[in-house]
Amino acid sequence: MRRRLRTALALVLSAAPTGRRAGHARGAAGPAPTEDRLSGARGTAPAPGRPEPGPGERPGSRNGGGPKTGRGPARPAPEAGRRTVPVRGTPRERLRAWAELLRVSALFSVPGDALAGAAAVGRRPDRGTVLAAGASLCLYEAGMALNDWADRDEDAVDRPHRPIPSGRVSPAAALGAAGALTAAGLALAARAGRPALTVATGLAATVWAYDLRLKHTKAGPAAMAAARSLDLLLGATATATAASAGRTAGDGGRPDNVAGTSCTSATTSARTPGVLAPVLPALPAALVLGAHTYGVTAVSRHEAQGGSTGTPLAVLTTTAALAAAVAGERRGRGLSGPAHTAPSAPGAPAPTTPSAPGTRHVATGAFGAPAHAPGAGRATPAPTRTTHAPPGERPASAAFGRLPALVAGAAGDPGRLLTLGLTAAYVRTAAPSLLHAALNPSPPLTQRAVGGGIRAMIPLQAALAARAGAPVTGLAVMGLVPLARSLARKVSPT
């Protein structure tokens, strides 16, 4: 009898589903079988290190918990423009994120604008120059923060490692920093005088218009060039205004070598709309710096995708032309810096007027050479200039071909030799990376060309200062190159 009962029970159990055998003595229903390759075939226990599924969840429904191939749902990819959640890191990580956002390695290309502007109007750096440099730094960094805030959706696709798309800096914090830095820059410019504040206001408006509206239009490079030119004019305006105010308070009306008027008239003009007249000699230097900036901005428009060969070649030609313009000899008024105010009659001695403290007599000869330098009174033949490049020769090679003749003509003149050396440093910094980007317009090489163009602004500013008759200022500006190069290895300027 017992044997028959065992046989019948075995038949009943063999007919029941496999998943119902566990716990049937208590009448409990087991979970439905699932396919789980990590915990075993048709197993229900979670894999080691995997949390138990919560109520109402199916096994494998969590992100990263399901099978990597097969029936599990795929993890959704991040969408462009999706709100980034700020990532809180260590203080050092947050500091590095802000350094990348503000591109601090490019900061060393800014103070030279104010110094070159002061040299262009024939002044030594003073309190106004320092205030202008501080205002320029603040407005420059405001533009960097605003640039990343405006491009946050585009960077989420092309540059997800940037501070805002990666969540290391929130968009609100970047926008707030741009506003605060703009206010600080205008406040520093206001301390330098109303004329400097006027120029700084135009500079700030240009920066915000470029980042928010003009960057992706055809007017983008022109707007960036205008911003850099205004930056140099800001240094010239602040320096001239501070010098005029200092003379009025100190000696009550001695002649002014730059403005060509007495201190009393210069002070009166500081309260009139014609206050920018003393900085007109700085316009040529501002245009040279703006032209270089235009080329760098044009190349930067292809740094994310690459693919442009003509733009780096055109900018390389422009670089050669600018170098020839800075190093070339100009009769009468120099490229940057005024001539003597009162012309003398033929054969009459040069006028010697007492100069105000802090005023340099800007040379009327080439490269800011002193008018009474040894051999200045000799009749020397004017250098031969080639107005058109020979057939088959490119303009860039024609400009570079003039350099040996310029070096030979500058022998014995330290000022001209210094200007030539600084101009050669400018070409050496900008040209190789532009040539590489033209031969292989890949994004890395294009970004390297942009970085080289940013660093090349420093020797260009130094050459402009030396040509204006301020060799010490030019050497001081050139001393920023090692610092910029060292920091560029840690934080990219692009």
Side-chain angles (χ1 to χ4, degrees), residues 32-383:
T34 57
E35 179 74 18
D36 197 333
R37 301 180 183 179
L38 294 179
S39 59
R42 302 185 68 86
T44 57
R50 182 189 301 175
E52 289 280 358
E57 288 186 356
R58 295 179 302 169
S61 63
R62 298 191 180 194
N63 289 340
K68 303 201 176 195
T69 58
R71 305 182 182 93
R75 185 175 183 176
E79 301 176 359
R82 184 180 178 183
R83 183 179 179 183
T84 57
V85 180
V87 177
R88 291 186 175 274
T90 63
R92 185 171 182 176
E93 292 174 346
R94 291 197 296 268
L95 183 62
R96 180 174 180 82
W98 278 99
E100 293 180 11
L101 178 75
L102 300 177
R103 296 173 174 87
V104 294
S105 60
L107 275 179
F108 297 100
S109 68
V110 179
D113 291 343
L115 294 173
V121 294
R123 301 289 180 186
R124 294 187 180 93
D126 55 14
R127 173 180 175 272
T129 312
V130 175
L131 290 173
S136 299
L137 289 171
C138 290
L139 294 177
Y140 187 84
E141 292 292 49
M144 290 297 180
L146 186 64
N147 174 78
D148 274 30
W149 179 85
D151 287 350
R152 60 192 185 279
D153 292 343
E154 180 180 343
D155 287 343
V157 178
D158 296 333
R159 293 181 169 187
H161 60 278
R162 292 294 300 164
I164 293 181
S166 62
R168 291 177 291 160
V169 176
S170 66
L175 183 61
L181 288 169
T182 301
L186 294 177
L188 289 174
R191 294 287 301 273
R194 184 176 299 177
L197 178 60
T198 301
V199 178
T201 303
L203 173 58
T206 304
V207 169
W208 281 72
Y210 171 80
D211 284 332
L212 299 180
R213 190 72 178 177
L214 302 177
K215 180 189 304 183
H216 300 293
T217 66
K218 294 182 179 180
M224 204 65 179
R228 183 64 75 160
S229 298
L230 285 173
D231 200 28
L232 187 144
L233 293 177
L234 174 60
T237 305
T239 304
T241 304
S244 300
R247 287 196 312 275
T248 303
D251 47 53
R254 284 194 284 175
D256 180 88
N257 189 47
V258 174
T261 58
S262 66
C263 282
T264 305
S265 60
T267 307
T268 303
S269 65
R271 300 192 184 103
T272 62
V275 69
L276 296 182
V279 301
L280 290 180
L283 281 178
L287 291 177
V288 168
L289 199 59
H292 173 78
T293 306
Y294 187 100
V296 175
T297 308
V299 175
S300 69
R301 295 164 75 92
H302 306 279
E303 64 179 346
Q305 290 83 17
S308 174
T309 300
T311 302
L313 280 178
V315 177
L316 182 61
T317 304
T318 304
T319 300
L322 292 177
V326 174
E329 186 172 357
R330 293 283 298 272
R331 296 292 180 183
R333 184 180 297 266
L335 177 68
S336 59
H340 289 296
T341 55
S344 58
T352 57
T353 55
S355 59
T359 302
R360 294 192 320 274
H361 284 285
V362 181
T364 59
F367 299 96
H372 301 285
R378 304 174 192 168
T380 56

